[in-house]
Amino acid sequence: MADVTGSAKVGRAGGSGGGPEDGGPPRPPGITRTGRVRQPAALIRLLAGLAVIALALLSADYARATTNGLAEDVAGAAALVPHPLGGVATGLTTAALLLLPGVSAARRLLGAGPDRRHVLQQVADGVLAAVLAYGGSLALDLWIDGSAPFSLVSALTQPLPGDPLARTEPVHGHLAPVLALLIASAARERRATWTVLTLSSLAGLASGAATPTSLLLGVLIGWTAAHGTRWAVGAPDPRPRPAQLLHSLREAGLRPLSAAPAGPDRYLVRQRDGRPELDVRLLDRQAVTAALVQRAWRRLRLRTAPHPRTLRSLRTGLEHEALVSYAAVAAGVRTRRIAATAELGPDTALVAYERLPGRTLDRLADEELTDALLADAWGQLALLQRRAIAHRALVPSALLVDGAGTVHLVDLADGDIAAGELVLHSDIAQLLATLALRTGAERSVRAAVAVLGPDAVAAALPLLQPIALARSTRLDLKRAAAGRTPARVPGPRSAPGAPAADPAAAAPDLLDEIRAEVLRSRPQAPVRPVRLERLRPRTLLAVGGGVVAGWLLLPQFFATEQNPVTAVAGADPFWLVLALLAAGASHVMGAMGFVGFVPERLDFRNAVLAQVAGSFVKLVSPGGVGGVALNTRFLQRAGIPTTQALSSVGAGQLLGLVLHLLQLGAFVYLTGVKTGGSELETLRVVVGGLAVAAALLTAVSALPPARRRLAARLRPLTAEVLPRLLELLRNPGRLAVGFTGQLMVSLTLIACLYCCARAVGREPSFATVGVVFLVGNAAGNAAPTPGGAGFVDTALTTGLELTNSMGNGGALAAVALYRLLTLVLPVLPGWAALTWLQRRGAL
């Protein structure tokens, strides 16, 4: 076995590609040197460049003292340089800067040989990037000179040494086009490029013709324009020609005869003298970079995620894959052996495996999945587990079955050696799900217990959760739960009448079946899922909402004529007491709206305390979610079955939604009447909004996928909530209590916000406050942040600012006081109520 861990000596292939004379077949279509692909890395760099340019402009404007101080220090140091010397240095570096692109292009064209057409394309890309960079620099110069605030102009420019009335350019225009041309044309003179750019920048600073910020913007614009061009027009396909691939394999000591495509980035290579065929896999940096965001996010989010390959060099990736493969072979695992590895350039490498004839698990017929085959698969995983080697991708395509029916574990590229217990248990959970999708939970678990033992299988139960499984497995589980069999690669079919396992015909949740089977052999096994998420999307949304709210609201504490803090501190005590009473009454009204939809008898005092406890739960759950969970738990502890408890809470939520919309329409109507608008016009607005909503609902219902999703969402409503409402119709008195409570809970909170506005000296109309509150409260219930933080505050403040009676700073003061009374102050009583109810078994 030959192995090349370093870069192979790759010969320059001719323009005709591989042919019979060099032992290679004609070049396959789609893999040509003149083909172009859009590289995801170029798009990522383009977006990063635009973000850094925007950040540089904001920093220059907001950090004016630092920027101006740096410019003054540089100008003071430049004054020490003799003026004639500075002029000579500027002239020489400018000449070198302008000559460098021409010299680089001429040198490449003269030495291009058969690849001259390819080099000409790259040079043309560079010229286009230079034009775009120059245009971007000029446009930014014109905008700064004509429309930008003077603070930004003074941060980017300085007076010219010889003419105090004239100022330097905001963007040092010579740098951007030259740098864009050299990067977009893939120039190889990187050291000379950055040396000349550095000298030119120093000369510009010494002569006083540029500021540090203008030089930085010039470099950023050139770099961004270059990568934007490379993404827009594409780059030559970096994948090698078959002739290059065969030449690299010969350099590795092999005897290849021909190469034929065998799939995306895969080749089947035949060898001379009867040597075994090779499976060659290409490692393309651009293809790996395409999954950069997804892999990086998964690594950030999950504790069991593999290290992103995009953060490794190609050499490191090759060494890692070879190391895992050799470790698996040393452990006695049947897998493909590496015949050679090689780098084919800066963006491509290859790994050549000795070919194993066989079929993957998804190509096998059901009757071929015998108990012996399942035991063999688990036996191979047991060998990996004993050496602490993690596979990380035990999907059907990773289990290769040869003609004798033995299992080989392949695709170890994402594996790890010296893996921790969490990752090793994740492999067991993944294989349990993979085999259960084909054979059912009972056979999969029985084979695993027979080989690994019940303790090892039971230890993997906390990892048996969708987020720990491969994406393809999660999709197959969804198909099975929806009553469809998992999609398979076309292969042999089961014989008519043969017994075949149908995973879709089993229970809807296959993972629950697997847990049940494991618990039969080990009843004391831990079943509580281990938390795998380091960072939840909800956390990011909460942080983002807080940042946006702070960005929008904090400047108002300093930029308004009346400081909101002062307005709250000087609030009218009479209106403040009324606001406090309204906030307290909202909990009583909420308890009425809650118990009114429960036919069973409840302790009203405990129900009120449960609503107070909800004020504490808001801090750790998104708006609207914590209250629903708390009320459901309260009913369960009162002896009401879970289904009926959920139905009662759902009925209250449904009626609350209907009343919310009706109140919004009524307040919108009253607002139009109060402001002197036509009643007919106001009614048209309300009816028009309802018509738009109906049109959107009709359009969604016309799409089959959306219709199925909507039906799934509404199924609990028709199956549970509506029957509960029909049952409540037998007790109209209790239903009236619930209706009154749901209506009054919104009115009391509107009254609280209205009293807060009056307390800070503003006099808005009650109807206007009602519209603002109902819209802002809806935003808070939909927001993923605890208590709707950020979203509710922004929506209420913005809505009140649109009224003519709130004045400058009054809206923020009123909202701050309202949130203080309804969100902050009830926290301590809410914690006390929650503790009291828990001690008495009511929660």
Side-chain angles (χ1 to χ4, degrees), residues 559-583:
T560 56
E561 296 177 0
Q562 182 181 2
N563 194 319
V565 177
T566 305
V568 172
D572 187 335
F574 173 76
W575 289 107
L576 187 59
V577 171
L578 290 181
L580 184 61
L581 292 176

mmCIF file with all atom_site columns, all heavy atoms in Angstrom, residues 559-583:
data_model
loop_
_atom_site.group_PDB
_atom_site.id
_atom_site.type_symbol
_atom_site.label_atom_id
_atom_site.label_alt_id
_atom_site.label_comp_id
_atom_site.label_asym_id
_atom_site.label_entity_id
_atom_site.label_seq_id
_atom_site.pdbx_PDB_ins_code
_atom_site.Cartn_x
_atom_site.Cartn_y
_atom_site.Cartn_z
_atom_site.occupancy
_atom_site.B_iso_or_equiv
_atom_site.pdbx_formal_charge
_atom_site.auth_seq_id
_atom_site.auth_comp_id
_atom_site.auth_asym_id
_atom_site.auth_atom_id
_atom_site.pdbx_PDB_model_num
ATOM 1   N N   . ALA A 1 559 ? -31.647 61.796 24.190 1.00 0.00 ? 559 ALA A N   1
ATOM 2   C CA  . ALA A 1 559 ? -31.845 62.674 23.041 1.00 0.00 ? 559 ALA A CA  1
ATOM 3   C C   . ALA A 1 559 ? -33.157 63.434 23.099 1.00 0.00 ? 559 ALA A C   1
ATOM 4   O O   . ALA A 1 559 ? -33.460 64.202 22.214 1.00 0.00 ? 559 ALA A O   1
ATOM 5   C CB  . ALA A 1 559 ? -31.791 61.875 21.738 1.00 0.00 ? 559 ALA A CB  1
ATOM 6   N N   . THR A 1 560 ? -33.991 63.215 24.090 1.00 0.00 ? 560 THR A N   1
ATOM 7   C CA  . THR A 1 560 ? -35.281 63.894 24.164 1.00 0.00 ? 560 THR A CA  1
ATOM 8   C C   . THR A 1 560 ? -35.197 65.124 25.048 1.00 0.00 ? 560 THR A C   1
ATOM 9   O O   . THR A 1 560 ? -34.324 65.242 25.903 1.00 0.00 ? 560 THR A O   1
ATOM 10  C CB  . THR A 1 560 ? -36.342 62.928 24.725 1.00 0.00 ? 560 THR A CB  1
ATOM 11  O OG1 . THR A 1 560 ? -35.885 62.447 25.984 1.00 0.00 ? 560 THR A OG1 1
ATOM 12  C CG2 . THR A 1 560 ? -36.562 61.765 23.780 1.00 0.00 ? 560 THR A CG2 1
ATOM 13  N N   . GLU A 1 561 ? -36.146 66.007 24.827 1.00 0.00 ? 561 GLU A N   1
ATOM 14  C CA  . GLU A 1 561 ? -36.170 67.217 25.625 1.00 0.00 ? 561 GLU A CA  1
ATOM 15  C C   . GLU A 1 561 ? -36.511 66.904 27.085 1.00 0.00 ? 561 GLU A C   1
ATOM 16  O O   . GLU A 1 561 ? -36.015 67.546 28.002 1.00 0.00 ? 561 GLU A O   1
ATOM 17  C CB  . GLU A 1 561 ? -37.198 68.195 25.052 1.00 0.00 ? 561 GLU A CB  1
ATOM 18  C CG  . GLU A 1 561 ? -36.860 68.675 23.641 1.00 0.00 ? 561 GLU A CG  1
ATOM 19  C CD  . GLU A 1 561 ? -37.937 69.581 23.103 1.00 0.00 ? 561 GLU A CD  1
ATOM 20  O OE1 . GLU A 1 561 ? -38.928 69.816 23.822 1.00 0.00 ? 561 GLU A OE1 1
ATOM 21  O OE2 . GLU A 1 561 ? -37.786 70.067 21.965 1.00 0.00 ? 561 GLU A OE2 1
ATOM 22  N N   . GLN A 1 562 ? -37.384 65.919 27.292 1.00 0.00 ? 562 GLN A N   1
ATOM 23  C CA  . GLN A 1 562 ? -37.762 65.532 28.652 1.00 0.00 ? 562 GLN A CA  1
ATOM 24  C C   . GLN A 1 562 ? -37.232 64.139 28.926 1.00 0.00 ? 562 GLN A C   1
ATOM 25  O O   . GLN A 1 562 ? -37.553 63.184 28.218 1.00 0.00 ? 562 GLN A O   1
ATOM 26  C CB  . GLN A 1 562 ? -39.282 65.561 28.830 1.00 0.00 ? 562 GLN A CB  1
ATOM 27  C CG  . GLN A 1 562 ? -39.731 65.217 30.249 1.00 0.00 ? 562 GLN A CG  1
ATOM 28  C CD  . GLN A 1 562 ? -41.232 65.233 30.379 1.00 0.00 ? 562 GLN A CD  1
ATOM 29  O OE1 . GLN A 1 562 ? -41.919 65.463 29.413 1.00 0.00 ? 562 GLN A OE1 1
ATOM 30  N NE2 . GLN A 1 562 ? -41.726 64.991 31.588 1.00 0.00 ? 562 GLN A NE2 1
ATOM 31  N N   . ASN A 1 563 ? -36.410 64.004 29.941 1.00 0.00 ? 563 ASN A N   1
ATOM 32  C CA  . ASN A 1 563 ? -35.832 62.716 30.278 1.00 0.00 ? 563 ASN A CA  1
ATOM 33  C C   . ASN A 1 563 ? -36.913 61.787 30.809 1.00 0.00 ? 563 ASN A C   1
ATOM 34  O O   . ASN A 1 563 ? -37.614 62.133 31.764 1.00 0.00 ? 563 ASN A O   1
ATOM 35  C CB  . ASN A 1 563 ? -34.750 62.912 31.353 1.00 0.00 ? 563 ASN A CB  1
ATOM 36  C CG  . ASN A 1 563 ? -33.886 61.674 31.500 1.00 0.00 ? 563 ASN A CG  1
ATOM 37  O OD1 . ASN A 1 563 ? -34.388 60.564 31.471 1.00 0.00 ? 563 ASN A OD1 1
ATOM 38  N ND2 . ASN A 1 563 ? -32.595 61.887 31.647 1.00 0.00 ? 563 ASN A ND2 1
ATOM 39  N N   . PRO A 1 564 ? -37.089 60.584 30.228 1.00 0.00 ? 564 PRO A N   1
ATOM 40  C CA  . PRO A 1 564 ? -38.132 59.680 30.706 1.00 0.00 ? 564 PRO A CA  1
ATOM 41  C C   . PRO A 1 564 ? -37.960 59.282 32.161 1.00 0.00 ? 564 PRO A C   1
ATOM 42  O O   . PRO A 1 564 ? -38.938 59.059 32.867 1.00 0.00 ? 564 PRO A O   1
ATOM 43  C CB  . PRO A 1 564 ? -38.003 58.477 29.763 1.00 0.00 ? 564 PRO A CB  1
ATOM 44  C CG  . PRO A 1 564 ? -37.333 59.014 28.540 1.00 0.00 ? 564 PRO A CG  1
ATOM 45  C CD  . PRO A 1 564 ? -36.421 60.082 29.023 1.00 0.00 ? 564 PRO A CD  1
ATOM 46  N N   . VAL A 1 565 ? -36.716 59.160 32.620 1.00 0.00 ? 565 VAL A N   1
ATOM 47  C CA  . VAL A 1 565 ? -36.496 58.804 34.024 1.00 0.00 ? 565 VAL A CA  1
ATOM 48  C C   . VAL A 1 565 ? -37.070 59.887 34.937 1.00 0.00 ? 565 VAL A C   1
ATOM 49  O O   . VAL A 1 565 ? -37.723 59.607 35.941 1.00 0.00 ? 565 VAL A O   1
ATOM 50  C CB  . VAL A 1 565 ? -35.000 58.590 34.279 1.00 0.00 ? 565 VAL A CB  1
ATOM 51  C CG1 . VAL A 1 565 ? -34.756 58.292 35.756 1.00 0.00 ? 565 VAL A CG1 1
ATOM 52  C CG2 . VAL A 1 565 ? -34.463 57.460 33.418 1.00 0.00 ? 565 VAL A CG2 1
ATOM 53  N N   . THR A 1 566 ? -36.832 61.142 34.551 1.00 0.00 ? 566 THR A N   1
ATOM 54  C CA  . THR A 1 566 ? -37.384 62.251 35.327 1.00 0.00 ? 566 THR A CA  1
ATOM 55  C C   . THR A 1 566 ? -38.906 62.245 35.293 1.00 0.00 ? 566 THR A C   1
ATOM 56  O O   . THR A 1 566 ? -39.575 62.520 36.308 1.00 0.00 ? 566 THR A O   1
ATOM 57  C CB  . THR A 1 566 ? -36.851 63.582 34.789 1.00 0.00 ? 566 THR A CB  1
ATOM 58  O OG1 . THR A 1 566 ? -35.430 63.546 34.779 1.00 0.00 ? 566 THR A OG1 1
ATOM 59  C CG2 . THR A 1 566 ? -37.319 64.748 35.632 1.00 0.00 ? 566 THR A CG2 1
ATOM 60  N N   . ALA A 1 567 ? -39.475 61.910 34.124 1.00 0.00 ? 567 ALA A N   1
ATOM 61  C CA  . ALA A 1 567 ? -40.940 61.877 34.001 1.00 0.00 ? 567 ALA A CA  1
ATOM 62  C C   . ALA A 1 567 ? -41.538 60.804 34.885 1.00 0.00 ? 567 ALA A C   1
ATOM 63  O O   . ALA A 1 567 ? -42.576 61.006 35.533 1.00 0.00 ? 567 ALA A O   1
ATOM 64  C CB  . ALA A 1 567 ? -41.331 61.662 32.540 1.00 0.00 ? 567 ALA A CB  1
ATOM 65  N N   . VAL A 1 568 ? -40.909 59.626 34.965 1.00 0.00 ? 568 VAL A N   1
ATOM 66  C CA  . VAL A 1 568 ? -41.419 58.556 35.816 1.00 0.00 ? 568 VAL A CA  1
ATOM 67  C C   . VAL A 1 568 ? -41.276 58.928 37.285 1.00 0.00 ? 568 VAL A C   1
ATOM 68  O O   . VAL A 1 568 ? -42.170 58.682 38.110 1.00 0.00 ? 568 VAL A O   1
ATOM 69  C CB  . VAL A 1 568 ? -40.691 57.233 35.497 1.00 0.00 ? 568 VAL A CB  1
ATOM 70  C CG1 . VAL A 1 568 ? -41.065 56.156 36.509 1.00 0.00 ? 568 VAL A CG1 1
ATOM 71  C CG2 . VAL A 1 568 ? -41.031 56.769 34.087 1.00 0.00 ? 568 VAL A CG2 1
ATOM 72  N N   . ALA A 1 569 ? -40.132 59.533 37.628 1.00 0.00 ? 569 ALA A N   1
ATOM 73  C CA  . ALA A 1 569 ? -39.914 59.916 39.027 1.00 0.00 ? 569 ALA A CA  1
ATOM 74  C C   . ALA A 1 569 ? -40.923 60.967 39.489 1.00 0.00 ? 569 ALA A C   1
ATOM 75  O O   . ALA A 1 569 ? -41.306 60.999 40.667 1.00 0.00 ? 569 ALA A O   1
ATOM 76  C CB  . ALA A 1 569 ? -38.489 60.440 39.208 1.00 0.00 ? 569 ALA A CB  1
ATOM 77  N N   . GLY A 1 570 ? -41.379 61.830 38.576 1.00 0.00 ? 570 GLY A N   1
ATOM 78  C CA  . GLY A 1 570 ? -42.343 62.860 38.946 1.00 0.00 ? 570 GLY A CA  1
ATOM 79  C C   . GLY A 1 570 ? -43.761 62.517 38.571 1.00 0.00 ? 570 GLY A C   1
ATOM 80  O O   . GLY A 1 570 ? -44.561 63.420 38.298 1.00 0.00 ? 570 GLY A O   1
ATOM 81  N N   . ALA A 1 571 ? -44.093 61.232 38.510 1.00 0.00 ? 571 ALA A N   1
ATOM 82  C CA  . ALA A 1 571 ? -45.439 60.808 38.100 1.00 0.00 ? 571 ALA A CA  1
ATOM 83  C C   . ALA A 1 571 ? -46.487 61.262 39.101 1.00 0.00 ? 571 ALA A C   1
ATOM 84  O O   . ALA A 1 571 ? -46.237 61.350 40.318 1.00 0.00 ? 571 ALA A O   1
ATOM 85  C CB  . ALA A 1 571 ? -45.481 59.283 37.949 1.00 0.00 ? 571 ALA A CB  1
ATOM 86  N N   . ASP A 1 572 ? -47.696 61.515 38.601 1.00 0.00 ? 572 ASP A N   1
ATOM 87  C CA  . ASP A 1 572 ? -48.817 61.945 39.427 1.00 0.00 ? 572 ASP A CA  1
ATOM 88  C C   . ASP A 1 572 ? -49.243 60.785 40.330 1.00 0.00 ? 572 ASP A C   1
ATOM 89  O O   . ASP A 1 572 ? -49.605 59.701 39.850 1.00 0.00 ? 572 ASP A O   1
ATOM 90  C CB  . ASP A 1 572 ? -49.978 62.361 38.519 1.00 0.00 ? 572 ASP A CB  1
ATOM 91  C CG  . ASP A 1 572 ? -51.137 62.982 39.295 1.00 0.00 ? 572 ASP A CG  1
ATOM 92  O OD1 . ASP A 1 572 ? -51.285 62.684 40.492 1.00 0.00 ? 572 ASP A OD1 1
ATOM 93  O OD2 . ASP A 1 572 ? -51.880 63.779 38.694 1.00 0.00 ? 572 ASP A OD2 1
ATOM 94  N N   . PRO A 1 573 ? -49.230 60.944 41.658 1.00 0.00 ? 573 PRO A N   1
ATOM 95  C CA  . PRO A 1 573 ? -49.561 59.818 42.553 1.00 0.00 ? 573 PRO A CA  1
ATOM 96  C C   . PRO A 1 573 ? -50.969 59.273 42.334 1.00 0.00 ? 573 PRO A C   1
ATOM 97  O O   . PRO A 1 573 ? -51.194 58.065 42.466 1.00 0.00 ? 573 PRO A O   1
ATOM 98  C CB  . PRO A 1 573 ? -49.400 60.431 43.957 1.00 0.00 ? 573 PRO A CB  1
ATOM 99  C CG  . PRO A 1 573 ? -48.504 61.610 43.769 1.00 0.00 ? 573 PRO A CG  1
ATOM 100 C CD  . PRO A 1 573 ? -48.818 62.137 42.394 1.00 0.00 ? 573 PRO A CD  1
ATOM 101 N N   . PHE A 1 574 ? -51.939 60.136 42.028 1.00 0.00 ? 574 PHE A N   1
ATOM 102 C CA  . PHE A 1 574 ? -53.315 59.673 41.844 1.00 0.00 ? 574 PHE A CA  1
ATOM 103 C C   . PHE A 1 574 ? -53.408 58.675 40.690 1.00 0.00 ? 574 PHE A C   1
ATOM 104 O O   . PHE A 1 574 ? -53.942 57.565 40.841 1.00 0.00 ? 574 PHE A O   1
ATOM 105 C CB  . PHE A 1 574 ? -54.232 60.867 41.593 1.00 0.00 ? 574 PHE A CB  1
ATOM 106 C CG  . PHE A 1 574 ? -55.645 60.468 41.237 1.00 0.00 ? 574 PHE A CG  1
ATOM 107 C CD1 . PHE A 1 574 ? -56.516 60.014 42.213 1.00 0.00 ? 574 PHE A CD1 1
ATOM 108 C CD2 . PHE A 1 574 ? -56.090 60.540 39.914 1.00 0.00 ? 574 PHE A CD2 1
ATOM 109 C CE1 . PHE A 1 574 ? -57.814 59.641 41.898 1.00 0.00 ? 574 PHE A CE1 1
ATOM 110 C CE2 . PHE A 1 574 ? -57.384 60.164 39.590 1.00 0.00 ? 574 PHE A CE2 1
ATOM 111 C CZ  . PHE A 1 574 ? -58.244 59.712 40.580 1.00 0.00 ? 574 PHE A CZ  1
ATOM 112 N N   . TRP A 1 575 ? -52.894 59.069 39.530 1.00 0.00 ? 575 TRP A N   1
ATOM 113 C CA  . TRP A 1 575 ? -52.936 58.175 38.372 1.00 0.00 ? 575 TRP A CA  1
ATOM 114 C C   . TRP A 1 575 ? -52.019 56.962 38.582 1.00 0.00 ? 575 TRP A C   1
ATOM 115 O O   . TRP A 1 575 ? -52.298 55.875 38.050 1.00 0.00 ? 575 TRP A O   1
ATOM 116 C CB  . TRP A 1 575 ? -52.544 58.926 37.108 1.00 0.00 ? 575 TRP A CB  1
ATOM 117 C CG  . TRP A 1 575 ? -53.583 59.907 36.665 1.00 0.00 ? 575 TRP A CG  1
ATOM 118 C CD1 . TRP A 1 575 ? -53.530 61.258 36.753 1.00 0.00 ? 575 TRP A CD1 1
ATOM 119 C CD2 . TRP A 1 575 ? -54.830 59.584 36.060 1.00 0.00 ? 575 TRP A CD2 1
ATOM 120 N NE1 . TRP A 1 575 ? -54.673 61.823 36.247 1.00 0.00 ? 575 TRP A NE1 1
ATOM 121 C CE2 . TRP A 1 575 ? -55.494 60.813 35.806 1.00 0.00 ? 575 TRP A CE2 1
ATOM 122 C CE3 . TRP A 1 575 ? -55.473 58.407 35.711 1.00 0.00 ? 575 TRP A CE3 1
ATOM 123 C CZ2 . TRP A 1 575 ? -56.754 60.881 35.218 1.00 0.00 ? 575 TRP A CZ2 1
ATOM 124 C CZ3 . TRP A 1 575 ? -56.730 58.462 35.124 1.00 0.00 ? 575 TRP A CZ3 1
ATOM 125 C CH2 . TRP A 1 575 ? -57.357 59.683 34.886 1.00 0.00 ? 575 TRP A CH2 1
ATOM 126 N N   . LEU A 1 576 ? -50.968 57.136 39.334 1.00 0.00 ? 576 LEU A N   1
ATOM 127 C CA  . LEU A 1 576 ? -50.069 56.017 39.598 1.00 0.00 ? 576 LEU A CA  1
ATOM 128 C C   . LEU A 1 576 ? -50.763 54.947 40.428 1.00 0.00 ? 576 LEU A C   1
ATOM 129 O O   . LEU A 1 576 ? -50.620 53.740 40.161 1.00 0.00 ? 576 LEU A O   1
ATOM 130 C CB  . LEU A 1 576 ? -48.814 56.528 40.318 1.00 0.00 ? 576 LEU A CB  1
ATOM 131 C CG  . LEU A 1 576 ? -47.678 55.518 40.519 1.00 0.00 ? 576 LEU A CG  1
ATOM 132 C CD1 . LEU A 1 576 ? -47.195 54.977 39.188 1.00 0.00 ? 576 LEU A CD1 1
ATOM 133 C CD2 . LEU A 1 576 ? -46.522 56.166 41.279 1.00 0.00 ? 576 LEU A CD2 1
ATOM 134 N N   . VAL A 1 577 ? -51.546 55.370 41.424 1.00 0.00 ? 577 VAL A N   1
ATOM 135 C CA  . VAL A 1 577 ? -52.301 54.408 42.235 1.00 0.00 ? 577 VAL A CA  1
ATOM 136 C C   . VAL A 1 577 ? -53.349 53.699 41.380 1.00 0.00 ? 577 VAL A C   1
ATOM 137 O O   . VAL A 1 577 ? -53.547 52.478 41.488 1.00 0.00 ? 577 VAL A O   1
ATOM 138 C CB  . VAL A 1 577 ? -52.947 55.124 43.439 1.00 0.00 ? 577 VAL A CB  1
ATOM 139 C CG1 . VAL A 1 577 ? -53.915 54.191 44.158 1.00 0.00 ? 577 VAL A CG1 1
ATOM 140 C CG2 . VAL A 1 577 ? -51.874 55.614 44.401 1.00 0.00 ? 577 VAL A CG2 1
ATOM 141 N N   . LEU A 1 578 ? -54.034 54.447 40.515 1.00 0.00 ? 578 LEU A N   1
ATOM 142 C CA  . LEU A 1 578 ? -55.018 53.817 39.628 1.00 0.00 ? 578 LEU A CA  1
ATOM 143 C C   . LEU A 1 578 ? -54.362 52.789 38.697 1.00 0.00 ? 578 LEU A C   1
ATOM 144 O O   . LEU A 1 578 ? -54.922 51.714 38.442 1.00 0.00 ? 578 LEU A O   1
ATOM 145 C CB  . LEU A 1 578 ? -55.743 54.889 38.809 1.00 0.00 ? 578 LEU A CB  1
ATOM 146 C CG  . LEU A 1 578 ? -56.707 55.802 39.572 1.00 0.00 ? 578 LEU A CG  1
ATOM 147 C CD1 . LEU A 1 578 ? -57.367 56.790 38.616 1.00 0.00 ? 578 LEU A CD1 1
ATOM 148 C CD2 . LEU A 1 578 ? -57.771 54.973 40.305 1.00 0.00 ? 578 LEU A CD2 1
ATOM 149 N N   . ALA A 1 579 ? -53.192 53.137 38.197 1.00 0.00 ? 579 ALA A N   1
ATOM 150 C CA  . ALA A 1 579 ? -52.483 52.188 37.327 1.00 0.00 ? 579 ALA A CA  1
ATOM 151 C C   . ALA A 1 579 ? -52.110 50.933 38.096 1.00 0.00 ? 579 ALA A C   1
ATOM 152 O O   . ALA A 1 579 ? -52.223 49.803 37.568 1.00 0.00 ? 579 ALA A O   1
ATOM 153 C CB  . ALA A 1 579 ? -51.232 52.856 36.746 1.00 0.00 ? 579 ALA A CB  1
ATOM 154 N N   . LEU A 1 580 ? -51.670 51.085 39.345 1.00 0.00 ? 580 LEU A N   1
ATOM 155 C CA  . LEU A 1 580 ? -51.311 49.930 40.157 1.00 0.00 ? 580 LEU A CA  1
ATOM 156 C C   . LEU A 1 580 ? -52.530 49.058 40.438 1.00 0.00 ? 580 LEU A C   1
ATOM 157 O O   . LEU A 1 580 ? -52.457 47.822 40.382 1.00 0.00 ? 580 LEU A O   1
ATOM 158 C CB  . LEU A 1 580 ? -50.666 50.408 41.460 1.00 0.00 ? 580 LEU A CB  1
ATOM 159 C CG  . LEU A 1 580 ? -50.138 49.326 42.406 1.00 0.00 ? 580 LEU A CG  1
ATOM 160 C CD1 . LEU A 1 580 ? -49.050 48.515 41.714 1.00 0.00 ? 580 LEU A CD1 1
ATOM 161 C CD2 . LEU A 1 580 ? -49.592 49.952 43.682 1.00 0.00 ? 580 LEU A CD2 1
ATOM 162 N N   . LEU A 1 581 ? -53.672 49.690 40.737 1.00 0.00 ? 581 LEU A N   1
ATOM 163 C CA  . LEU A 1 581 ? -54.900 48.915 40.963 1.00 0.00 ? 581 LEU A CA  1
ATOM 164 C C   . LEU A 1 581 ? -55.333 48.174 39.695 1.00 0.00 ? 581 LEU A C   1
ATOM 165 O O   . LEU A 1 581 ? -55.791 47.028 39.758 1.00 0.00 ? 581 LEU A O   1
ATOM 166 C CB  . LEU A 1 581 ? -56.018 49.846 41.448 1.00 0.00 ? 581 LEU A CB  1
ATOM 167 C CG  . LEU A 1 581 ? -55.823 50.456 42.844 1.00 0.00 ? 581 LEU A CG  1
ATOM 168 C CD1 . LEU A 1 581 ? -56.957 51.442 43.149 1.00 0.00 ? 581 LEU A CD1 1
ATOM 169 C CD2 . LEU A 1 581 ? -55.760 49.365 43.904 1.00 0.00 ? 581 LEU A CD2 1
ATOM 170 N N   . ALA A 1 582 ? -55.215 48.822 38.546 1.00 0.00 ? 582 ALA A N   1
ATOM 171 C CA  . ALA A 1 582 ? -55.587 48.168 37.285 1.00 0.00 ? 582 ALA A CA  1
ATOM 172 C C   . ALA A 1 582 ? -54.677 46.974 37.013 1.00 0.00 ? 582 ALA A C   1
ATOM 173 O O   . ALA A 1 582 ? -55.136 45.917 36.546 1.00 0.00 ? 582 ALA A O   1
ATOM 174 C CB  . ALA A 1 582 ? -55.524 49.173 36.137 1.00 0.00 ? 582 ALA A CB  1
ATOM 175 N N   . ALA A 1 583 ? -53.371 47.124 37.294 1.00 0.00 ? 583 ALA A N   1
ATOM 176 C CA  . ALA A 1 583 ? -52.448 46.004 37.087 1.00 0.00 ? 583 ALA A CA  1
ATOM 177 C C   . ALA A 1 583 ? -52.793 44.845 38.001 1.00 0.00 ? 583 ALA A C   1
ATOM 178 O O   . ALA A 1 583 ? -52.762 43.676 37.586 1.00 0.00 ? 583 ALA A O   1
ATOM 179 C CB  . ALA A 1 583 ? -51.008 46.473 37.329 1.00 0.00 ? 583 ALA A CB  1
#
